[in-house]
Amino acid sequence: MTATFDLELARAVLAAQPFSALLGAEISSFGDGSATLEIPIRPELGQQFGFLHGGVLAYAADNALTFAAGTVLGPNVLTGGFSINYLRPGSGVRLRAQARVVGSTRRQAACSCEIYTEDAAGTAALCAVAQGTVRAVDSERTGA
């Protein structure tokens, strides 16, 4: 694990992503093979039936998987691929994507993610699950 890739740097990396800023995404936990990404749910993130758009769930899975992998591979990582299964429509006040590393090598990590929505009382509902692979890259990241 890269000792300097901590919660503070993870938050700076996320803040350097314009799309993440647009969504209002935040990293609430980071380290020891896991990461949690949270997004406040607002009407602009919905689809035609009033539920959270599936693309927002997919974004949350992608970034949470990648940040979890970064805890073991370091900050220079990219998603190799992921799949997502939607279980129920998302609604509430907050989206929470919790990812963890299932296994890793020096250059790659396999991760899983559970995506929840929370209502105003804090009750969570599992909306989707995802899994994916993340690879370390040689080039330096730009941004933060």
Side-chain angles (χ1 to χ4, degrees):
M1 182 170 140
T2 304
T4 59
F5 196 30
D6 57 9
L7 179 59
E8 183 178 341
L9 180 56
R11 286 179 171 157
V13 169
L14 186 68
Q17 299 175 359
F19 188 67
S20 294
L22 179 70
L23 292 177
E26 302 171 346
I27 294 180
S28 58
S29 70
F30 177 86
D32 297 324
S34 67
T36 301
L37 184 80
E38 297 185 6
I39 301 170
I41 297 174
R42 57 187 199 273
E44 298 85 3
L45 303 181
Q47 42 86 300
Q48 72 275 17
F49 297 114
F51 297 113
L52 192 59
H53 193 282
V56 177
L57 296 170
Y59 156 83
D62 179 13
N63 255 12
L65 290 164
T66 303
F67 275 99
T71 68
V72 298
L73 299 176
N76 295 331
V77 294
L78 293 173
T79 304
F82 76 98
S83 64
I84 187 167
N85 292 309
Y86 299 102
L87 303 173
R88 69 176 41 90
S91 62
V93 298
R94 178 164 302 281
L95 174 73
R96 180 172 33 93
Q98 297 175 272
R100 67 180 179 84
V101 174
V102 176
S104 65
T105 64
R106 186 176 58 82
R107 307 267 313 151
Q108 182 171 277
C111 304
S112 66
C113 183
E114 295 179 343
I115 303 144
Y116 298 88
T117 55
E118 296 176 357
D119 64 17
T123 303
L126 183 65
C127 293
V129 293
Q131 62 183 10
T133 57
V134 178
R135 298 206 31 98
V137 294
D138 293 329
S139 63
E140 289 296 315
R141 65 178 171 76
T142 60

